[in-house]
Amino acid sequence: MKIKLRKQVIDILKVLKEKKSEYIASELAKELDIDYIVLMSAINDLKETNLGGFKEKEVFQISLNKEGELYLNKGLPERQLLDILLSNDLTEKNMEDLQGATSLDKKLFYIGISNIKKNGWGVESKAPGEHKLLLIKEVFPQTDVELFLKKFEKNDKIDYSDLSEDDLIQFNILNKRKLIKQTRKTQRSLFLTEKGKKTKLNEIEMLKQVSKITPEMLNSGSWMDYDLKPFDVTKPGPLLKAGKIHPMVNLINEIREIFISLGFTEIRGPIIESAFFNFDALFQPQDHPARELHDTFYLNNPKVSKLPEKDRVKAVKETHENGGTSGSLGWGYKWEESIAKKTLLRTHTTATTIRRLAQYYKNNEVPPIKVFSIDRVFRNEKVDKSHLAEFTQIEGIVIGEKVTLCDLIGVITEFYKKIGFEKVITRPGFFPYTEPSMEVSVFYDKLGEWLEMGGSGIFRPEVTYPWGIENPTRVLAWGLGLERLAMLKFGREDIRDLYINPIKWLRQESY
Ligand code: PHE
C-alpha cells in the first residue's frame, strides 16, 4: 500500500532527505519559516508512518547578561580604563585624582584597576608621598578572556557542551565576574529511519487537500484520506447573526446595577396615572400650563382614577389652598378634586416616586429610603431626531435625615461616573416641586460640549409635608433622560434609531 502523507509533511521529508544527518528542530523551523508546532506535527506524521522521528536532549546554554553585553560592546573595564590612560596620558597621575580624571564610574574604575594588575599590565607604586598606577608593559594584546567574550558577537547563545577546555577556563572567569547567564532547554533533533531514507518520494502519495470536512466524510471515514488546509487565523471570520440582547436593555440593566450597587431598590408605578400623583401632589397648580392638553395625554377610558385616603387628599388640597402644615402660603385658589381625578399617561416618573412617599406615610416608615425607577413616560411632542413622544426617565429619591444638596450632587455624579461620564455639572434650575432645583449636564468628549441630561432638586415642604416628611428629614430627587444618555453612549445622532432598530447598528452594538 502506498504511503499517504500531507503536502506539508512531504515537503519536510524532502528537506530531511537532502540534509541526510540529524537536524535540530528549532533551526529547521527557522530555516523553512514555519511554526515550530507545525513542524513537530509534521514530524509526528513521519513517526506514525515509521519514516522518521525525533530525539530529545537537555542542553545547557550560556549567554551574556546585561552587564556582559555592555562590556562586549564597550570593552571590559580594564580595557576601557587602559585606553583612557593611554590616550589621555594619565599614567603619571596620583591614584587619588585618577578616577575623576578618567571620568569613569567608580565601580568600573576599580574593577579596571584590579584587572590591570591581574593581567600584569601595571602595578601600584606606593613610595612615600606618591601613590600611582604604573604601566609595566609596552603592548597590551587581547587577553584570553577578551577573545572568549568576542565569541558572543556571532551567537548570543553558546551550547555549554561546545566549549573546549580552554574555553571553560575563560567561561569560569566571566562567570565569576558575574557576566554570564545560564539557561537549560530541551532540544529536539530530527532524523529519518532506515525506511525513511530508503523510501523514494515517488512512492509516496500526496493526500488531497480540502478546506473543510463534511458530515459525509465523517460518516464514511474518508476524512482520513484528506489533508485539511491550514487555517489563516488572522482572516476575519463570518459574521455571526445570533440573537442578542437589545442595546437599550443592556444599558437599562447596567443602570440598574449601578443604583443597586449604591444601595438603592427599584420601584415601579402605573403608566396610567392620576393627575393627583402626576401634578397635584407635586404642588403644581391646577391651572399650570404644563397640564394643558398639548403636553399631557389625558385619557377618556378610564376617565377617573382612584385617589388615596381622604385625609391625604385633604392634606394636598390644603397645601394648594393655604400651605397646610408646610409653613407655605399655598397658591390661594380653590382646589378641585375632579381635576385631580383625571387620568393621564404619566408625563414623568416623579409620579412614581411620590407614590413611594405615600407608601412611606401609610406604612409609618423611617428614613433612610433610597429608591430608583427606570420607566416609560409620555408627552405630546412632535417626534423628530431629538424628540420622542414616549421616552424613558431614570428617576430616584433619597429620603433621609439632614440630607443635603451635596449628597444629591454626590449620587448624581457617582452615577454618571460609573456609566462612563467623568465630568458632571449641576446648575441652578427650576421645577415647581423642588427648592433648590438643579439642571444636570455631562461633558461629551466627542463634541467637546456640555449636554443637559435632566433635572433634580430637594422636594419642597409643600410636596413632603402631606406625607409626614418634615424638616430635618428631606427628600432628594432627580429625573434624568435615558435616551439622551443612550445616544451619547452609542454615538447615535437620531433618537428614533434607538427604537426603529437599524439592523446594522443592532448587530454591531449588541452582545
Ligand atoms: N420631573 C422632572 C422632569 O421630568 C425631573 C425632575 C425630577 C426634577 C425630580 C426635579 C426632581 O423633567
Side-chain angles (χ1 to χ4, degrees):
M1 204 179 87
K2 250 191 168 181
I3 300 169
K4 291 178 184 169
L5 288 176
R6 295 184 284 135
K7 177 178 179 304
Q8 200 166 35
V9 181
I10 297 177
D11 289 345
I12 288 164
L13 180 64
K14 234 185 259 175
V15 177
L16 287 176
K17 272 179 164 305
E18 281 160 18
K19 300 283 179 198
K20 302 229 170 13
S21 61
E22 282 184 15
Y23 216 77
I24 292 166
S26 56
E27 283 170 16
L28 185 62
K30 230 186 261 168
E31 199 179 305
L32 298 179
D33 194 24
I34 55 173
D35 212 80
Y36 181 74
I37 299 185
V38 172
L39 173 68
M40 288 317 288
S41 120
I43 298 303
N44 254 331
D45 285 14
L46 290 182
K47 206 170 153 195
E48 271 170 27
T49 46
N50 262 325
L51 298 174
F54 63 88
K55 274 189 279 192
E56 283 186 343
K57 115 174 153 197
E58 267 230 289
V59 289
F60 288 94
Q61 289 190 314
I62 58 169
S63 55
L64 293 175
N65 64 16
K66 275 252 161 65
E67 195 179 348
E69 267 171 21
L70 201 73
Y71 296 159
L72 177 63
N73 292 329
K74 292 195 158 178
L76 287 166
E78 55 271 30
R79 180 64 65 181
Q80 290 187 41
L81 177 59
L82 180 76
D83 285 348
I84 294 175
L85 294 180
L86 293 176
S87 58
N88 295 322
D89 219 4
L90 292 173
T91 41
E92 287 303 308
K93 266 229 180 302
N94 255 329
M95 273 292 252
E96 287 73 33
D97 311 322
L98 196 56
Q99 188 227 330
T102 59
S103 66
L104 279 177
D105 165 79
K106 205 170 186 165
K107 183 180 153 209
L108 204 83
F109 175 79
Y110 284 107
I111 299 176
I113 293 279
S114 122
N115 284 302
I116 280 181
K117 291 193 293 184
K118 265 191 209 151
N119 286 352
W121 290 350
V123 290
E124 245 177 275
S125 86
K126 279 188 183 156
E130 78 160 32
H131 180 191
K132 283 183 178 159
L133 178 72
L134 297 178
L135 294 180
I136 53 171
K137 285 269 163 68
E138 293 288 321
V139 285
F140 305 91
Q142 294 275 312
T143 63
D144 291 343
V145 183
E146 283 177 310
L147 292 172
F148 180 72
L149 185 66
K150 284 241 159 64
K151 293 198 174 199
F152 290 98
E153 262 169 7
K154 272 182 251 121
N155 339 44
D156 48 352
K157 281 190 178 147
I158 297 177
D159 279 3
Y160 187 81
S161 58
D162 289 347
L163 297 182
S164 69
E165 243 165 78
D166 285 344
D167 284 343
L168 277 175
I169 298 171
Q170 307 314 322
F171 158 72
N172 278 326
I173 294 173
L174 287 187
N175 198 26
K176 269 204 200 109
R177 288 179 74 167
K178 296 207 168 65
L179 305 176
I180 294 281
K181 215 161 53 187
Q182 304 190 42
T183 43
R184 232 176 234 269
K185 69 166 193 189
T186 310
Q187 193 178 63
R188 296 196 170 125
S189 44
L190 313 176
F191 62 85
L192 292 182
T193 59
E194 281 313 307
K195 183 181 169 198
K197 284 179 198 161
K198 269 190 228 142
T199 310
K200 301 216 170 62
L201 286 173
N202 59 17
E203 292 170 53
I204 295 169
E205 191 180 318
M206 193 192 294
L207 285 178
K208 211 175 141 226
Q209 283 201 314
V210 290
S211 50
K212 63 177 169 205
I213 290 180
T214 63
E216 291 74 39
M217 293 176 186
L218 285 175
N219 271 335
S220 67
S222 68
W223 63 273
M224 282 191 281
D225 299 329
Y226 291 99
D227 174 11
L228 200 57
K229 271 193 194 146
F231 292 120
D232 183 351
V233 291
T234 60
K235 288 262 157 63
L239 191 65
L240 258 188
K241 292 173 185 168
K244 296 172 178 178
I245 296 173
H246 194 284
M248 288 302 277
V249 176
N250 277 328
L251 180 61
I252 288 172
N253 284 337
E254 200 181 327
I255 295 170
R256 277 202 174 103
E257 268 169 38
I258 292 174
F259 278 109
I260 286 168
S261 78
L262 293 173
F264 283 75
T265 310
E266 185 167 5
I267 56 167
R268 301 198 76 170
I271 285 173
I272 296 175
E273 190 49 282
S274 60
F276 181 83
F277 279 116
N278 200 79
F279 295 127
D280 294 277
L282 283 162
F283 197 52
Q284 296 205 49
Q286 293 190 320
D287 59 359
H288 193 280
R291 292 197 187 200
E292 273 168 32
L293 266 159
H294 66 259
D295 240 331
T296 308
F297 290 113
Y298 282 97
L299 301 176
N300 278 327
N301 183 19
K303 194 139 185 89
V304 289
S305 35
K306 208 172 144 251
L307 296 187
E309 285 75 19
K310 281 218 160 61
D311 63 333
R312 289 310 93 202
V313 176
K314 191 163 166 259
V316 169
K317 171 186 163 82
E318 278 167 6
T319 310
H320 277 245
E321 291 182 349
N322 55 40
T325 56
S326 71
S328 155
L329 294 177
W331 294 114
Y333 71 99
K334 182 143 177 26
W335 187 85
E336 298 278 349
E337 191 169 296
S338 60
I339 296 179
K341 274 185 154 170
K342 284 187 179 175
T343 50
L344 46 83
L345 296 179
R346 68 176 166 212
T347 64
H348 54 190
T349 40
T350 317
T352 299
T353 50
I354 298 298
R355 279 183 180 271
R356 185 64 186 84
L357 298 190
Q359 186 191 343
Y360 175 89
Y361 176 82
K362 204 171 164 184
N363 298 342
N364 224 342
E365 291 178 61
V366 287
I369 303 278
K370 305 201 286 186
V371 295
F372 74 98
S373 112
I374 308 167
D375 236 330
R376 199 58 73 85
V377 300
F378 305 82
R379 286 184 202 172
N380 196 353
E381 299 243 29
K382 202 175 161 331
V383 174
D384 60 30
K385 71 191 285 262
S386 41
H387 294 91
L388 292 172
E390 60 182 277
F391 55 98
T392 313
Q393 288 187 321
I394 308 164
E395 190 94 24
I397 53 170
V398 173
I399 310 176
E401 222 174 292
K402 294 187 181 147
V403 287
T404 66
L405 209 58
C406 283
D407 299 313
L408 178 58
I409 296 172
V411 174
I412 293 173
T413 309
E414 192 60 26
F415 163 67
Y416 279 114
K417 247 193 213 162
K418 291 197 176 210
I419 203 89
F421 294 88
E422 281 295 320
K423 289 192 213 150
V424 182
I425 201 172
T426 48
R427 289 185 274 220
F430 174 79
F431 298 96
Y433 33 91
T434 48
E435 181 59 38
S437 305
M438 299 188 300
E439 273 168 8
V440 182
S441 302
V442 299
F443 192 72
Y444 186 46
D445 288 332
K446 270 195 206 148
L447 292 180
E449 273 175 26
W450 291 97
L451 296 175
E452 207 184 305
M453 302 302 282
S456 65
I458 301 180
F459 279 149
R460 302 175 66 103
E462 291 95 328
V463 175
T464 65
Y465 274 57
W467 312 104
I469 298 166
E470 301 183 356
N471 210 23
T473 300
R474 294 187 271 270
V475 182
L476 313 176
W478 58 90
L480 313 164
L482 172 73
E483 284 78 7
R484 246 303 165 79
L485 182 69
M487 286 167 79
L488 304 188
K489 284 272 295 185
F490 303 138
R492 306 305 300 178
E493 266 151 34
D494 192 325
I495 197 166
R496 291 167 294 195
D497 283 357
L498 302 175
Y499 300 111
I500 285 174
N501 297 324
I503 208 80
K504 209 174 134 206
W505 168 60
L506 290 184
R507 282 200 178 126
Q508 78 192 27
E509 200 66 59
S510 309
Y511 48 85

